[in-house]
Amino acid sequence: MSDPRLTPLAAALPADTPFVGIDTLERQRGAPFAARLGANENGFGPSPAAIDAMRGAAGDMWMYGDGESHALRHALGDRHGIDPAHIVVGEGIDGLLGTLVRLTVAPGDAVVTSLGAYPTFNYHVTGFGGLLHKVPYRGDHEDPGALLACARETGAKLIYLSNPDNPMGSWHPAARIEEMIAAVPPGCLLVLDEAYADCAPPGAIPRMDPGAGEVIRMRTFSKAYGLAGLRIGYAIGPRPLISAFDRVRNHFGVNRMAQGAAGAALADDAWLAQVLGRIESSRAEIARITAACGLTSLPSAANFVAVDCGRDGDHARRVLAELAARDVFVRMPGAAPLDRCIRISCGPEEDMARLAKALPGALEAASR
Amino acid sequence: MSDPRLTPLAAALPADTPFVGIDTLERQRGAPFAARLGANENGFGPSPAAIDAMRGAAGDMWMYGDGESHALRHALGDRHGIDPAHIVVGEGIDGLLGTLVRLTVAPGDAVVTSLGAYPTFNYHVTGFGGLLHKVPYRGDHEDPGALLACARETGAKLIYLSNPDNPMGSWHPAARIEEMIAAVPPGCLLVLDEAYADCAPPGAIPRMDPGAGEVIRMRTFSKAYGLAGLRIGYAIGPRPLISAFDRVRNHFGVNRMAQGAAGAALADDAWLAQVLGRIESSRAEIARITAACGLTSLPSAANFVAVDCGRDGDHARRVLAELAARDVFVRMPGAAPLDRCIRISCGPEEDMARLAKALPGALEAASR
């Protein structure tokens, strides 16, 4: 039964959520997973400096955090060589996407994304009454030309693109993205989700040009920086758009400790470099483990690898279920043809060993 | 300049924010405050068990938190003797109010509150296009009868009432609130902000009856529990309304560490009792300090005291500014006649001593 006081928009929304969380899945199955390789978390962990910052700040949590995340925004400005006025900090990219959609998408407005791309973005668009247009991937890459064409055709307010891509791990060179930004139609905005930018090879990430009015870029401390539990990310964009966040955002919504820990993590370049090395090794290890079972892994610029299970989505879903039955948590894309793949997060060696042990039996069971 | 891609609603919103944060104020004045008595934070601090929980969990922050806050919701259900299906956990009451308004207030819908009541609630209502109707306080209390009459007259979707009241510290007995709940008009919902409920005297807080469809109650770990920096609160209400939060909320927006620390704080009854004793002493101390300067403090059921400065809002604003010039941070109500008062948060003895030292000079300077 729906509450009779809901707005017509809220009353019409589906009850399903974009993701069933890992804790919920564990409760449903009645046991924890042994290998947590499904949420693209960073099992290599955050910088020890970030951990120290958290421990040191625990006694201060009676104070509200800085509503402007001033220190962190200035550190980020220094890091990216941009004015902090182009940066807004929020409760992870998920939170920032919600606020952005609220600011730009009125009921009935068109929004363009790729078929099989990030479900939480779609959730926010639907939640504010936007109409989603979904463009197919091309060769396991999001298709900038087709996304732009669809945006022109539909008069879209937003185009969503992740680079590197989630869930496929593919990426475009910076020049291709810069061409895309230059071609965004008037009145439209490119939402460039760069959650995995830190993991990407040189040449995949466009230079910072936050004065350009056609793009907003989303970054997070949840992936390479290993701080998913703290819920902190940021957006970089043109000043009029960034300042508009202040009209609707939950000003004191960013956890005080998260601001400090993110700053400490940002300053620890050595730890990040070490983690990125381990992510690269783990990508190679996932490729080896899956190749040993006759599967093809896709090239990845992220902290996960999409692995082609060689048949259709039903088969891949069986593989995923059989891995779960063997205590290995992975996820998979939600739409064909991407859903021939499962998506395996990078992780420590012991998790890779669990994957290697579980995969042959899971494949055999899934093929029966 | 406003971004041309904003929705008509977003484009029309004012750029001002409900509160200028303490960190922002400190940057503006170029110095920290010596006594932080303006945000109703709890300077007595959180339970040592909560601090231990934070420190112990710091290394786990690479994992996302539980999107359902299952453990905390069950602990809260046990505490209140209700089914956890009646509880949703969110990023503080501010975050929960935003989500509630989004679910229930469409552009043009009427909403009723009191003139001078919580600005952040008004901010959310305006942000979703609702039309605020403001009812005067009566004798420094919110006026249930007038709020209900206004709601009937305007066909309001929501009535906001805080008990104990912020900013005045006044309260109604539970029976009065229960009568009000019983009289909420059809199609309307009472938003009962109980941020300060833990500080209230016996008999001020209605019994839990979450099956009643006319009220949603908001609670927080920011005040008596001393965890404002973690951003965690919860709402208790009828199941169809609580489950509707899942249609729009940021499912993984609640910090993982906040869930654990809140659970630890909730379990430490001895610490809470000790803090409540110190809050009570501090209220008395604020009354003594202000009486010594010839001011009248209002009775309070919260962790702050409204102090009547004896003249108009301009005078109270001068007192506030002069206190700030003496490094003592307090706030004050935003509307007449409440704004004859300043609002002083309870705090440790050293902060009370700073207040006692600063107040005579501040009053003298304000009266010149």
Side-chain angles (χ1 to χ4, degrees):
Chain A
M1 190 192 73
S2 188
D3 189 284
R5 286 159 295 217
L6 299 184
T7 67
L9 175 57
L13 292 176
D16 54 303
T17 60
F19 286 107
V20 179
I22 180 168
D23 295 272
T24 303
L25 293 171
E26 288 180 337
R27 283 190 291 273
Q28 287 171 353
R29 67 197 291 270
F33 290 106
R36 196 166 162 125
L37 298 173
N40 301 341
E41 295 163 327
N42 177 352
F44 305 117
S47 157
I51 295 175
D52 285 349
M54 288 185 255
R55 290 187 177 143
D60 295 336
M61 285 307 111
W62 61 274
M63 291 183 277
Y64 285 102
D66 179 4
E68 299 184 342
S69 298
H70 181 88
L72 179 59
R73 282 173 50 247
H74 280 254
L76 290 166
D78 288 347
R79 170 58 53 105
H80 294 302
I82 60 175
D83 184 331
H86 289 291
I87 302 172
V88 59
V89 172
E91 302 93 330
I93 290 181
D94 285 357
L96 290 161
L97 286 174
T99 307
L100 175 69
V101 171
R102 177 177 168 191
L103 284 170
T104 57
V105 178
D109 280 350
V111 173
V112 175
T113 186
S114 300
L115 180 61
Y118 193 47
T120 304
F121 177 73
N122 298 356
Y123 166 78
H124 289 309
V125 171
T126 303
F128 285 103
L131 299 179
L132 283 161
H133 298 267
K134 297 180 183 175
V135 170
Y137 278 62
R138 178 190 293 256
D140 297 323
H141 288 67
E142 293 186 79
D143 186 341
L147 290 162
L148 287 167
C150 182
R152 282 190 298 268
E153 199 174 296
T154 59
K157 296 295 293 287
L158 301 176
I159 304 171
Y160 175 89
L161 179 120
S162 58
N163 186 55
D165 176 67
N166 176 22
M168 302 309 279
S170 56
W171 69 100
H172 289 293
R176 184 89 194 270
I177 303 295
E178 287 167 5
E179 283 168 25
M180 184 180 182
I181 295 169
V184 171
C188 183
L189 180 75
L190 177 64
V191 185
L192 183 58
D193 184 341
E194 298 187 322
Y196 300 97
D198 305 296
C199 310
I205 306 301
R207 67 192 166 79
M208 283 292 160
D209 182 16
E214 304 80 8
V215 62
I216 186 167
R217 301 167 73 158
M218 303 279 187
R219 299 286 183 102
T220 185
F221 287 94
S222 297
K223 305 301 177 185
Y225 288 100
L227 293 169
L230 291 187
R231 312 315 303 130
I232 185 158
Y234 57 104
I236 301 171
R239 286 182 69 151
L241 180 64
I242 293 299
S243 70
F245 277 71
D246 281 337
R247 301 184 188 187
V248 301
R249 72 187 179 93
N250 182 6
H251 291 272
F252 300 96
V254 177
N255 182 291
R256 179 185 182 92
M257 190 183 281
Q259 295 182 33
L266 186 69
D268 191 350
D269 290 323
W271 182 263
L272 180 66
Q274 178 264 132
V275 166
L276 295 178
R278 295 183 74 184
I279 287 172
E280 193 171 347
S281 300
S282 186
R283 288 194 297 236
E285 181 66 9
I286 294 169
R288 271 192 297 275
I289 290 167
T290 52
C293 294
L295 304 183
T296 305
S297 64
L298 278 60
S300 171
N303 75 333
F304 61 84
V305 177
V307 175
D308 189 335
C309 291
R311 291 164 59 181
D312 63 3
D314 287 340
H315 176 65
R317 274 182 284 278
R318 282 195 298 272
V319 173
L320 185 135
E322 293 294 343
L323 281 172
R326 289 161 179 79
D327 295 336
V328 173
F329 169 57
V330 303
R331 289 200 197 267
M332 60 179 289
L338 315 184
D339 68 353
R340 70 190 192 282
C341 297
I342 58 173
R343 193 196 69 180
I344 305 174
S345 305
C346 296
E349 283 174 24
E350 58 270 28
D351 286 348
M352 292 296 110
R354 291 183 186 109
L355 173 68
K357 188 168 170 222
L359 187 59
L363 287 169
E364 194 191 328
S367 299
R368 266 204 293 268
Chain B
M1 193 192 73
S2 188
D3 190 285
R5 286 158 295 216
L6 299 184
T7 65
L9 175 58
L13 291 176
D16 55 302
T17 59
F19 286 107
V20 179
I22 181 167
D23 295 273
T24 303
L25 293 171
E26 289 181 335
R27 284 190 292 272
Q28 287 170 353
R29 67 197 291 269
F33 290 106
R36 194 168 163 124
L37 298 173
N40 301 342
E41 295 163 329
N42 178 353
F44 305 116
S47 157
I51 296 176
D52 285 349
M54 288 186 253
R55 290 188 176 141
D60 296 335
M61 286 305 111
W62 61 273
M63 291 184 276
Y64 286 101
D66 179 4
E68 299 183 343
S69 299
H70 180 88
L72 180 59
R73 281 172 52 246
H74 280 254
L76 289 166
D78 287 347
R79 170 57 54 104
H80 294 301
I82 60 176
D83 185 331
H86 289 292
I87 302 172
V88 59
V89 172
E91 303 92 332
I93 289 181
D94 285 358
L96 289 162
L97 286 173
T99 306
L100 175 69
V101 171
R102 177 176 168 192
L103 283 171
T104 56
V105 178
D109 280 350
V111 173
V112 175
T113 185
S114 300
L115 180 61
Y118 194 45
T120 304
F121 176 73
N122 298 356
Y123 167 78
H124 290 308
V125 171
T126 303
F128 286 103
L131 300 179
L132 282 161
H133 298 267
K134 296 179 184 176
V135 170
Y137 279 64
R138 177 191 293 256
D140 298 322
H141 288 67
E142 294 186 77
D143 185 342
L147 289 162
L148 286 167
C150 182
R152 282 190 297 268
E153 198 174 296
T154 60
K157 297 295 291 288
L158 301 177
I159 303 171
Y160 175 89
L161 179 121
S162 58
N163 187 56
D165 177 65
N166 176 21
M168 301 310 279
S170 56
W171 69 101
H172 290 292
R176 184 90 194 270
I177 303 295
E178 287 167 6
E179 283 168 25
M180 184 180 182
I181 294 168
V184 171
C188 184
L189 180 75
L190 176 64
V191 185
L192 183 58
D193 184 341
E194 298 187 320
Y196 300 97
D198 304 297
C199 310
I205 306 301
R207 67 191 167 80
M208 284 292 161
D209 181 17
E214 303 79 8
V215 62
I216 185 167
R217 302 167 72 159
M218 303 280 186
R219 299 285 182 103
T220 184
F221 287 94
S222 296
K223 304 301 177 187
Y225 288 101
L227 294 169
L230 291 187
R231 315 312 304 128
I232 186 158
Y234 57 103
I236 301 171
R239 287 182 69 151
L241 180 64
I242 293 299
S243 70
F245 277 70
D246 281 339
R247 301 184 187 188
V248 301
R249 73 187 178 95
N250 182 8
H251 292 272
F252 300 97
V254 177
N255 182 290
R256 179 185 181 93
M257 190 183 283
Q259 295 181 34
L266 185 69
D268 191 349
D269 290 320
W271 182 264
L272 180 65
Q274 178 263 133
V275 166
L276 294 178
R278 297 185 72 184
I279 287 173
E280 193 172 348
S281 300
S282 187
R283 288 194 297 235
E285 181 65 11
I286 294 170
R288 272 192 297 274
I289 291 167
T290 54
C293 294
L295 305 182
T296 306
S297 63
L298 278 61
S300 171
N303 74 334
F304 61 84
V305 177
V307 176
D308 189 335
C309 292
R311 291 165 59 182
D312 64 1
D314 287 340
H315 175 66
R317 274 182 284 279
R318 283 194 299 272
V319 174
L320 185 133
E322 294 294 342
L323 282 172
R326 288 159 179 79
D327 296 337
V328 173
F329 169 57
V330 304
R331 291 199 197 269
M332 61 180 286
L338 314 184
D339 67 355
R340 70 189 193 284
C341 297
I342 58 174
R343 192 195 68 180
I344 304 174
S345 305
C346 296
E349 283 173 25
E350 58 270 27
D351 287 348
M352 292 298 109
R354 292 184 186 109
L355 172 68
K357 189 170 168 218
L359 187 59
L363 287 169
E364 193 191 328
S367 299
R368 267 201 295 267

